[in-house]
Each structure stands twice: as C-alpha cells, then as structure tokens.
Amino acid sequence: MNLKQLYNIFEGTFYENKMATMLRNAFIKKGFKVFLPSSTNIVFVDLTNEIIEKLSEHYLFAPMYKLDENTRRARFVTSWATKEDEVVKFVKFIEEM
C-alpha cells in the first residue's frame, strides 16, 4: 500500500465520521439521548416508538434494543457513500419534528 492509498482510506474515514457527527449533533440539539458519545461513524440514540415510526417512513436505520414499552435504542450508520446533502435533509427533518 502506498501513501496515496493510505491517505484515501483515512480521508474516507474522516468523511464518514463528519457525517455521523452531523447526525449526532442534530439529535442532541433536539434533546434526544445519545448513547455512548463517540467520534465514529455510528450513532446510537434512544427514540420513542412514535419517533421511530415517523423516521421509518422516510429513512433507513436500525431500531435495535427495546428499553421499555415506548422506547428503543436505534443505530444510524454513515459511510463513504453517504451524501452530505442527504444528511442535511435528515438534520432538517429532525429539527422540524
């Protein structure tokens, strides 16, 4: 592996993390509980079933652990293929909920 290939790997990682940070910040700003704050490309957030239903109508994500009758922990993941304009739309959707 040469230096350019290594740089491209890290550049992609930084981009993925930047997109996840945008998601994470939108959830925090709206008052949602983010589980395990991190600087990776994965965001875990606790959402009510009602919010999960609204988000599921427009976005693909993974509602995972049932925390109680009305709340689940959901996982959102970004990648090198995540488009910034789609993240911006998602953030606006969260802000308007």
Side-chain angles (χ1 to χ4, degrees):
M1 179 177 299
N2 64 37
L3 189 56
K4 176 135 176 78
Q5 290 169 322
L6 186 60
Y7 174 80
N8 288 338
I9 290 169
F10 282 115
E11 185 177 46
T13 301
F14 295 136
Y15 175 79
E16 295 165 9
N17 295 347
K18 177 184 171 187
M19 296 301 102
T21 298
M22 291 171 66
L23 296 179
R24 187 177 300 105
N25 289 343
F27 282 121
I28 291 170
K29 185 177 177 181
K30 194 67 178 180
F32 292 105
K33 180 184 175 195
V34 172
F35 181 73
L36 294 176
S38 72
S39 58
T40 68
N41 67 318
I42 301 172
V43 179
F44 292 98
V45 61
D46 297 347
L47 302 172
T48 64
N49 294 331
E50 180 183 350
I51 298 296
I52 288 171
E53 187 176 320
K54 287 180 185 178
L55 287 173
S56 296
E57 292 173 6
H58 303 279
Y59 298 98
L60 180 62
F61 63 100
M64 299 177 68
Y65 308 108
K66 184 177 181 179
L67 301 173
D68 60 38
E69 289 301 314
N70 192 41
T71 311
R72 294 183 75 169
R73 182 157 294 141
R75 180 178 70 155
F76 296 83
V77 181
T78 60
S79 77
W80 60 269
T82 302
K83 296 180 178 153
E84 187 169 358
D85 63 324
E86 291 297 322
V87 173
V88 169
K89 287 179 190 175
F90 182 85
V91 166
K92 286 182 182 177
F93 189 86
I94 293 294
E95 291 172 347
E96 293 173 357
M97 285 194 328

